[in-house]
Amino acid sequence: MNSDSERPAVTELRLSAFKAHRGVVLPLGPLTLLSGGSGSGKSSALQAYEILARLGSGQSLARAVRDVAGGPSACVPAGARPDDQGRRGFRIGCTVSGPVGPVSLDLAVQAEPELRIVGERLTGGGETLLTTALTDPDRPAVQAAWHTAGATPVTRAPLPDDRLGTSLLPLRVAGKTAGQRLVLAAAEQVVVALRSAFVCDPRPEVMRGTGGARAAGGAGLPGATGATGSAGGAGGSAGRGSGVRGGRGKGAGKAREGHDEGRLRSSCDNLPAVLARTSQECARRHAVLVAAVREACVGPVDGLRAVPRQAGVTGAGAAGSGAREAGATGATGSGATGAGVTASRMTASGATGTGAAAAVPAAGRGGAAGAQSGGGPGEAGVQVVLDRGVLGEMPVEQLGDGELRFLALALVLLTGPGVLAMDPAGEIPSAHQQMTVMADGMDRCMDRRQARELVSLAVRMAERGHVRLLGTVRDPSVAEGLPGVQVLHLGA
């Protein structure tokens, strides 16, 4: 594995007191799979990571835990008794490795009677860089103290009790002394790593348009982060501090409110629009995707392409209509397009028509609303079809659940923040970041062959050093013999 320490990455997850976990420390490598029986806490571990990632992206604590079934109280360890004031909570943390060295972040969260962060500790470089504590329960703030190493050893000031203090430090620390610069560098390292997470949970019923209302943009993190963006309202200032100095402001918030059009969302309900874009942007990457899908699907797979979706036309009818629109010229490479969407053929060898590289889908790089759609049957936009060779074309909606999930997860592993609905630190060059894909139930609906092929693809991508994976699996044997895969068995 390429362990480039210059790219910040979460290398340890601590579940000090979270749901069924007490005193659990999980070492995280470039490719980590969690296994264990039902109720062993696999999903809970990813949930704790997601809460940290949301907070690191500038979201409020309420937004960070809003997707937890049962609310914040469900995060409290079973059997935890309230104190004299009726307070109960949970504790989680992580270690982030990077240019500063290992930096540890630990949080104490009060879930009852009201939700708030009551304690935070950031350590690195042999120093305690930040501590916060609740000193007045009647005020919505904590007292913070951060390392200065100047005329005064620490600086003290109040911080809001619903935000991650570490993400706010770039707004508060001047960076004049060596101690302050260490604090800024450590905070940046932690926030960059946490903001680089993408929660991916492909939902076949939504991808087929049969799951009711479309999932909200980036249901995971701030894009997830998943990650869809920082908190609004009071989060304006916090959002700007949720990374490095001069972070994103209101403009980014509005873009995220637009559901990250043109970028793949957590549920992958807009997969056709994104594939229409990515197939044009990088023929080599698309060829690798086609090759992977060929290994996972039953029957021949010669290509994977986007075609216009006709309003009121679904399934094979839409595929046939798209093929007729492309006509013979599309097959010979003259760059035929239909309804503003290129219908060029992409095969495993990466060959495209001569006009395909120049022609960009209507939703192209900007993600216009037309091609952004691609959800339910009869919806205008684009759809994706498999070229089955002599068997003809088949809409991907007709694939099995396992095949659809494989396609979506493979696309995520082969792309990055520019394609996924997430909110990485835009002030840091992408070469200095590693994206972490979080996939709960990674092998759900898949047979062993499909799951192993997906893990093999993850291995190849992780070797490049730009992608990390944290997933849960039912069958850990799918990773047997594959290099660089760390399997952690929970509940053993």
Side-chain angles (χ1 to χ4, degrees), residues 63-89:
R63 288 195 64 187
V65 300
R66 69 179 180 181
D67 291 336
V68 177
S73 296
C75 298
V76 179
R81 297 181 178 179
D83 62 10
D84 294 339
Q85 286 75 43
R87 298 176 298 189
R88 298 198 312 154

Side-chain angles (χ1 to χ4, degrees), residues 284-324:
R284 182 177 180 181
R285 175 177 60 194
H286 192 72
V288 174
L289 177 63
V290 171
V293 172
R294 179 183 299 114
E295 295 298 322
C297 291
V298 176
V301 175
D302 290 348
L304 183 68
R305 66 193 186 93
V307 298
R309 181 190 294 276
Q310 300 295 315
V313 181
T314 63
S321 175
R324 286 191 298 274

Side-chain angles (χ1 to χ4, degrees), residues 160 201 253 274 308 402 450 465:
D201 184 19
V274 176
Q450 293 168 333

Side-chain angles (χ1 to χ4, degrees), residues 51-59 164 167 190-191 194-195 222 241-243:
I51 290 173
L52 289 169
R54 285 176 176 266
L55 289 170
S57 295
Q59 292 193 18
L164 184 69
S167 70
V190 169
V191 170
L194 292 177
R195 286 179 64 167
S242 63

